[in-house]
Amino acid sequence: MLPIDAQAKRFDVADITHGGNVHNARFIVKSKRTVQPCILHMMEHDDRPDSAKRLEKARISRGFTSAADAARYFGWSYDTYIQHENGTRGIVRAAQRYAKAFRVTPGWLLTGEGAGPGELPVNGVTSARMVRVKGFVQAGHWAETWEWPDDDQYTVPVPFDEGLSPFSLYGAETRGPSMDKRYPQGTVLIFTDAIETHEDVEIGARYIVERERPDGMREATVKTLWRDDAGEMWLLPESNDPRFQEPIPVNGDDDDTIRIVGRVRYAVSRE
């Protein structure tokens, strides 16, 4: 993933907090845990992933009244296509193919950003950026590295964003339930490097976080940055699993070391 040891720059807490605001997004602190209750939310009737809903919308806008008609016309396997449209399989690997057929951009299918039905430029040029997914994030999984072998890595398309064009983008796949309220297992998180962007951290944003124990073993996960009523900042899980409902304090005194690696920019579902 990122060369953490080579890039990580250490800051004292006094150097990164100014008037309650945290600066220099990648920083190292100590952690401790307190209990955070879980609040369950009601699901809407159509609980398919948004990408599946957009796929259906693109198909209908293209003039195909049924999924079978579209699959027959383009020569696709109906069983595979209908799983993509009903949301039982993600569409990341097929996004380019469906986007071309339904005349939308891959980014719109995956995240809702980019040209949707009837909005594709006349010249047919799609605006997408390919990002390599090099590893995974999983709370509670401790290892020497969270990067996969080269053969297991893959690329995904994301919408082109002019504001992010100067920066590198990185991908990591979620595992486990520690953020399952927001990111189901298998979601691909696209993030920027905190040192490269030089931006202040933002309360309510989600960050890729690495924890390191004194023995050198590491855990990589994704958390939401949160501030309590007393002004203390925490890294907050969003999980239905009671094992992963305790926020991690930004200021603590335990032995674990915390590094904020980068900010999440996109979340897409892997097939």
Side-chain angles (χ1 to χ4, degrees), residues 45-224:
H45 177 68
D46 186 357
D47 59 355
R48 291 179 300 160
D50 289 341
S51 57
K53 297 176 186 177
R54 286 189 291 268
L55 180 61
E56 181 184 30
K57 180 179 179 179
R59 185 254 300 165
I60 294 172
S61 297
R62 184 70 167 83
F64 297 98
T65 57
S66 72
D69 289 342
R72 187 180 306 111
Y73 181 85
F74 293 109
W76 302 330
S77 164
Y78 171 76
D79 290 341
T80 299
Y81 177 80
I82 198 61
Q83 289 179 56
H84 289 157
E85 195 167 288
N86 66 26
T88 57
R89 294 178 65 181
I91 66 169
V92 169
R93 295 181 184 272
Q96 292 277 9
R97 178 172 70 248
Y98 293 151
K100 181 178 180 180
F102 295 148
R103 299 176 183 172
V104 295
T105 60
W108 182 84
L109 282 177
L110 293 171
T111 69
E113 298 186 37
E119 300 174 348
L120 194 65
V122 175
N123 61 12
V125 175
T126 59
S127 181
R129 182 175 176 182
M130 301 303 295
V131 180
R132 192 160 186 81
V133 182
K134 293 188 174 183
F136 67 96
V137 291
Q138 180 178 5
H141 180 86
W142 295 89
E144 293 181 356
T145 180
W146 40 290
E147 184 171 332
W148 288 326
D150 290 345
D151 290 345
D152 294 332
Q153 298 177 12
Y154 59 95
T155 59
V156 298
V158 298
F160 178 79
D161 186 329
E162 184 67 33
L164 296 178
S165 60
F167 307 116
S168 302
L169 294 179
Y170 304 89
E173 186 177 299
T174 61
R175 291 182 178 176
S178 69
M179 284 289 283
D180 62 357
K181 286 186 179 180
R182 182 171 295 274
Y183 305 128
Q185 180 165 279
T187 299
V188 175
L189 303 179
I190 306 300
F191 60 97
T192 48
D193 184 300
I195 287 181
E196 185 182 9
T197 59
H198 296 290
E199 65 180 352
D200 297 343
V201 294
E202 179 181 330
I203 301 299
R206 281 154 293 282
Y207 292 90
I208 303 296
V209 179
E210 185 184 75
R211 302 178 68 192
E212 184 174 353
R213 300 188 308 209
D215 62 4
M217 301 296 280
R218 296 172 176 174
E219 170 203 59
T221 184
V222 57
K223 293 290 182 287
T224 301

Side-chain angles (χ1 to χ4, degrees), residues 251-267:
N251 297 320
D253 55 6
D254 286 353
D255 292 334
D256 291 351
T257 299
I258 298 175
R259 300 182 181 94
I260 292 184
V261 176
R263 178 173 174 175
V264 175
R265 303 294 181 170
Y266 299 101

Side-chain angles (χ1 to χ4, degrees), residues 11 15-27 199-201:
F11 299 87
D15 294 330
I16 62 173
T17 55
H18 303 282
N21 296 319
V22 177
H23 302 278
N24 296 318
R26 180 181 292 181
F27 53 87
E199 65 180 352
D200 297 343
V201 294

